[in-house]
Amino acid sequence: MPDQSHVGRKYSAPGQVIDPARAKGMAQAIAGESAAFEADEVPPTFAAVYCLAPTFAQLFTDAEVGINLAGLIHGEQTFEWPAAAQPGDTVDATARIESVEDKRGMTFVTLAVEAVRRADGAVVCRGRSMMIVRGGAQ
Amino acid sequence: MSSLAGKTVAVGDAIEPLTRRVTQAQINAYAEASGDVNPIHVDEDFARSVGLPGTIAHGLLEMGILAEAVSRWAGGGSRLLGLECRFSKPLRAGDAITCTGKVVAVDEAGGVASLEVDAVSDRGERVLTNGRARVRLSG
């Protein structure tokens, strides 16, 4: 189970390429064929793919932290997009365990995430994810 | 005067509410698009086995619909500078989500509008709470 000793652990997923077809696929999965997102635009929450997924995959398989995926739910999410990611960008994504708290029989794990575009060093996404591991604390 | 796509933006302005029924088919499509294939979203029996009432939408799919609602008002997703929310209640497959928002601050000098945003389900549950969005204004 996650505990205080895991605070500060960092997971790096360098070289995430923002695939235009996948970005478009997510826009369609969210909004259907409606024109909410422009055709050549990366939908803001595509950060789930280039920033959260590749770093969280490492957390979820970190045997020393030992998160029980069956009880895992997403509690809160904060995103900032200082620069808009563009199709074809290559970004380096990181996630760091910022805090672990036991409350009401559950464990709250908060991660600070960031994705930086290689071409110019611009931060295309910065955020915080709070994940709840149910049945965590005894 | 702060504006967006030719419209004046002022504190108290509301965005056009966006309602969408989130079917299991949409959840499956989002699972494929995002790569998040956690069975609580796509496997009814599994979802029930971990104490859920059935399959539920990905929180980030709900947040994506919230981002869509704000992006429609703002004139494109690239105007969205920030978005945050709490996933307070699960949205069950087949339920409709309605996203709303209103402008709570306008930073004329910085060219940024701040909005309070949230979402309710057609069960009357507040599924997304404590929501905030920041939007880049034009000219």
Side-chain angles (χ1 to χ4, degrees):
Chain A
M1 286 304 303
D3 63 43
Q4 290 292 330
S5 73
H6 301 125
V7 172
R9 266 178 199 245
K10 197 169 173 183
Y11 305 94
S12 297
Q16 302 298 313
V17 178
I18 298 181
D19 177 52
R22 282 202 73 188
K24 191 174 182 193
M26 175 169 281
Q28 287 180 339
I30 292 168
E33 298 298 329
S34 69
F37 303 113
E38 290 161 35
D40 59 348
E41 163 172 289
V42 176
T45 60
F46 192 65
V49 171
Y50 67 75
C51 190
L52 304 191
T55 51
F56 287 14
Q58 296 174 34
L59 165 66
F60 296 158
T61 54
D62 185 339
E64 290 175 30
V65 176
I67 285 183
N68 173 19
L69 284 180
L72 189 73
I73 54 174
H74 202 157
E76 295 175 12
Q77 181 65 45
T78 298
F79 283 127
E80 289 173 49
W81 299 280
Q86 303 297 325
D89 280 353
T90 297
V91 304
D92 298 320
T94 55
R96 177 184 173 277
I97 300 179
E98 196 173 69
S99 66
V100 178
E101 292 177 275
D102 287 332
K103 285 190 276 194
R104 304 190 298 274
M106 300 182 284
T107 301
F108 293 63
V109 181
T110 300
L111 293 118
V113 299
E114 188 171 81
V116 176
R117 179 161 53 210
R118 278 202 185 165
D120 59 1
V123 176
V124 295
C125 180
R126 181 188 292 129
R128 192 162 275 118
S129 303
M130 193 271 279
M131 313 299 293
I132 303 171
V133 188
R134 297 185 306 160
Q138 297 304 310
Chain B
M1 189 62 78
S2 297
S3 68
L4 205 53
K7 299 172 295 190
T8 300
V9 173
V11 171
D13 286 358
I15 71 170
E16 179 83 10
L18 173 62
T19 298
R20 179 154 303 133
R21 190 160 296 284
V22 179
T23 62
Q24 186 63 53
Q26 178 166 18
I27 294 170
N28 294 348
Y30 185 83
E32 189 181 341
S34 67
D36 181 348
V37 293
N38 185 326
I40 62 173
H41 306 301
V42 294
D43 182 333
E44 183 81 17
D45 290 340
F46 180 87
R48 290 183 190 283
S49 78
V50 294
L52 294 167
T55 52
I56 61 170
H58 303 73
L60 286 171
L61 168 55
E62 297 171 64
M63 197 177 191
I65 296 169
L66 183 62
E68 177 192 346
V70 179
S71 298
R72 284 172 180 269
W73 176 78
S78 62
R79 289 197 171 275
L80 201 50
L81 296 174
L83 184 66
E84 62 184 75
C85 66
R86 178 177 294 169
F87 306 110
S88 294
K89 295 273 185 188
L91 183 76
R92 291 162 63 171
D95 286 359
I97 185 171
T98 296
C99 301
T100 57
K102 69 167 194 277
V103 177
V104 293
V106 177
D107 173 359
E108 300 269 356
V112 176
S114 297
L115 296 89
E116 285 181 357
V117 292
D118 60 24
V120 296
S121 74
D122 56 351
R123 291 176 192 275
E125 291 181 327
R126 300 178 69 216
V127 291
L128 303 181
T129 62
N130 293 53
R132 295 286 289 207
R134 290 172 61 245
V135 169
R136 181 168 49 83
L137 300 167
S138 49

